[in-house]
């Protein structure tokens, strides 16, 4: 926690700036007019969204939702910033050797930093909730306080889910740069997937995979979707157990190495090929004039799937430092495929995932 004091203070101020301070700038009269609760029958008129807590309907106007969306965005930035600060010693050979030589087990080392990250994020959320609740109470908007606190709690739990996911990336990456790029890349590509699959129903398997591997984007749904606390509990346990396993099994030799050269990356790289395959194949399918009823059999869809998977493979390899040319002396050129050819063969795994998930879904 000592290492995070300055960052916690900065993000606490930013949280206060985008919510309670912004509310004060708008003013009581304007904000009160924007957050007048109505019955469910007036939902189309005033934009109110209905939630239920213990079978009682609660109302939250769109005005508060806008502020909560800013909070969700800031919380994702806070998780990456605080997590990167705490796990920075893992990515330098001189510091990682010192860290592992401390009179602490790897379990204690990871648990201490994970709890510090959760505690820091919790302090930021708690201070902001108290300030916002005090303003709502002083302005006579006590009726929307229960709904606000319920949704605010779910946004906090969604941020903890993203924290566990980020700890997995931090524990597996060889460099801090790679960890941040992989984390951000997964969440930048998800909006593209949602845009090109706008006609895809919410309950499809492919859409569920998008949310699973992009918990920061998924946290926006906590503001408007009625999710159970069990949903968040399962994801929190899963990601933190996986991050604990990855951190405790991490060799000290990984410090400072390019993530693309680590053995585990070869098995996980089809995810990036899969993402590229989804994006390009759907873009090409829109331009396909063929009369085939099945999208998976359209010529341009197939070409886009192959091209997108290969591009996703190459981009992820280039960013993470995976070798894309022959290295003299490693293997005989007669027995080893050229790295570019190997990349193309590996990219076919992303195409296979696309077809498998689409057919199953």
């Amino acid at each position: 926690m000592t290492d995070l004091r300055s960052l916690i203070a900065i993000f606490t101020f930013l949280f206060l700036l985008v919510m309670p301070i912004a509310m004060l700038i708008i003013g009581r009269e304007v904000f009160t007019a924007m957050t007048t609760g109505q019955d469910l029958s007036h939902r189309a008129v005033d934009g109110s969204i209905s939630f239920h807590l213990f079978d009682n309907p609660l109302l939250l106007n769109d005005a508060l939702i806008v502020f909560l969306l800013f909070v969700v965005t800031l919380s994702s930035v806070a998780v990456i910033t605080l997590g990167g600060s705490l796990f920075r010693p893992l990515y330098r050979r001189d510091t990682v050797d010192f860290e592992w030589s401390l009179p602490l087990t790897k379990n204690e080392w990871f648990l201490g930093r994970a709890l510090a990250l959760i505690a820091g994020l919790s302090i930021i959320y708690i201070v902001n909730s108290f300030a916002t609740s005090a303003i709502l109470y002083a302005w006579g908007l006590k009726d929307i306080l229960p709904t606000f606190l319920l949704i605010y709690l779910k946004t906090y739990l969604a941020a903890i889910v993203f924290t566990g996911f980020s700890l997995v990336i931090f524990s597996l990456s060889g460099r801090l740069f790679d960890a941040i790029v992989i984390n951000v890349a997964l969440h930048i590509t998800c909006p593209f997937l949602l845009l090109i699959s706008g006609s895809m129903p919410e309950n499809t398997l492919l859409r569920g995979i998008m949310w699973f591997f992009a918990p920061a984007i998924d946290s926006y749904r906590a503001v408007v979707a009625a999710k159970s606390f069990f949903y968040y509990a399962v994801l929190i346990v899963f990601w933190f157990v996986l991050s604990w396993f990855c951190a405790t099994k991490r060799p000290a030799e990984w410090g400072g190495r390019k993530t693309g050269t680590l053995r585990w990356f070869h098995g996980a790289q089809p995810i990036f090929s899969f993402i590229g395959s989804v994006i390009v194949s759907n873009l090409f399918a829109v331009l396909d004039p063929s009369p085939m009823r099945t999208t998976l059999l359209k010529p341009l869809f197939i070409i886009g799937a192959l091209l997108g998977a290969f591009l996703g493979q190459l981009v992820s390899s280039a960013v993470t430092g995976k070798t894309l040319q022959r290295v003299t002396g490693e293997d005989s050129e007669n027995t080893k495929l050229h790295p570019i050819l190997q990349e193309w063969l590996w990219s076919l795994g992303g195409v296979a995932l696309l077809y498998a998930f689409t057919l199953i879904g």
Side-chain angles (χ1 to χ4, degrees), residues 125-347:
Y125 263 86
I126 290 173
V127 171
N128 188 64
S129 66
F130 271 111
T132 305
S133 299
I135 293 175
L136 292 177
Y137 186 85
W139 284 356
L141 299 175
K142 297 184 287 293
D143 293 340
I144 66 174
L145 261 179
T147 306
F148 162 70
L149 293 175
L150 173 64
I151 300 176
Y152 191 82
L153 175 60
K154 289 189 175 183
T155 61
Y156 167 75
L157 294 176
I160 300 300
V161 173
F162 178 52
T163 301
F165 175 84
S166 296
L167 290 181
V168 174
I169 305 298
F170 284 128
S171 300
L172 289 176
S173 301
R175 301 180 300 178
L176 180 59
F177 171 79
D178 295 339
I180 295 176
V181 167
I182 291 173
N183 216 338
V184 173
L186 288 174
H187 291 87
I188 288 179
T189 54
C190 185
F192 284 100
L193 294 176
L194 295 177
L195 286 174
I196 63 178
S197 58
S199 60
M200 184 187 303
E202 177 64 29
N203 58 354
T204 57
L205 179 61
L206 190 57
R207 181 65 67 89
I209 293 172
M210 294 179 197
W211 296 128
F212 183 75
F213 284 106
I217 296 297
D218 188 33
S219 62
Y220 286 97
R221 296 198 302 164
V223 179
V224 294
K227 296 182 182 179
S228 67
F229 289 104
F230 179 75
Y231 170 84
Y232 295 107
V234 170
L235 288 180
I236 289 172
V237 171
F238 172 80
W239 287 121
F240 273 93
V241 169
L242 182 59
S243 62
W244 163 80
F245 177 81
C246 294
T248 55
K249 298 299 181 182
R250 175 191 176 95
E253 293 76 17
W254 284 10
R257 282 185 58 182
K258 296 178 180 179
T259 303
T261 63
L262 302 179
R263 183 174 299 178
W264 69 265
F265 187 75
H266 294 269
Q269 201 171 13
I271 296 176
F272 298 94
S273 300
F274 165 70
I275 292 174
S277 182
V278 172
I279 294 175
V280 180
S281 63
N282 280 273
L283 291 176
F284 276 35
V286 175
L287 305 175
D288 196 326
S290 61
M292 287 191 177
R293 301 176 61 182
T294 304
T295 303
L296 297 179
L297 298 179
K298 289 185 175 182
L300 283 184
F301 181 89
I302 297 174
I303 294 174
L306 294 171
L307 178 61
F310 187 43
L311 291 176
Q313 184 85 8
L314 289 178
V315 170
S316 60
S317 294
V319 171
T320 58
K322 188 177 178 182
T323 303
L324 295 177
Q325 59 185 0
R326 292 188 188 276
V327 179
T328 305
E330 283 195 354
D331 291 305
S332 173
E333 293 186 1
N334 296 327
T335 59
K336 182 181 179 182
L337 295 175
H338 193 280
I340 297 297
L341 181 57
Q342 287 184 331
E343 293 292 276
W344 181 76
L345 292 175
W346 274 103
S347 70

Side-chain angles (χ1 to χ4, degrees), residues 14-27 30-32 34-35 60-75 125 128 132 136 139 144 148 151-152 155 220 223:
L14 291 176
F15 268 60
L16 293 174
L17 182 63
V18 301
M19 199 163 195
I21 296 178
M23 291 167 57
L24 291 174
I25 293 174
I26 292 176
V30 176
F31 189 86
T32 303
M34 295 169 60
T35 56
L60 184 69
N61 188 272
D62 290 345
L64 268 177
I65 289 180
V66 173
F67 291 106
L68 286 170
L69 292 178
F70 279 110
V71 167
V72 171
T73 303
L74 268 180
S75 68
Y125 263 86
N128 188 64
T132 305
L136 292 177
W139 284 356
I144 66 174
F148 162 70
I151 300 176
Y152 191 82
T155 61
Y220 286 97
V223 179

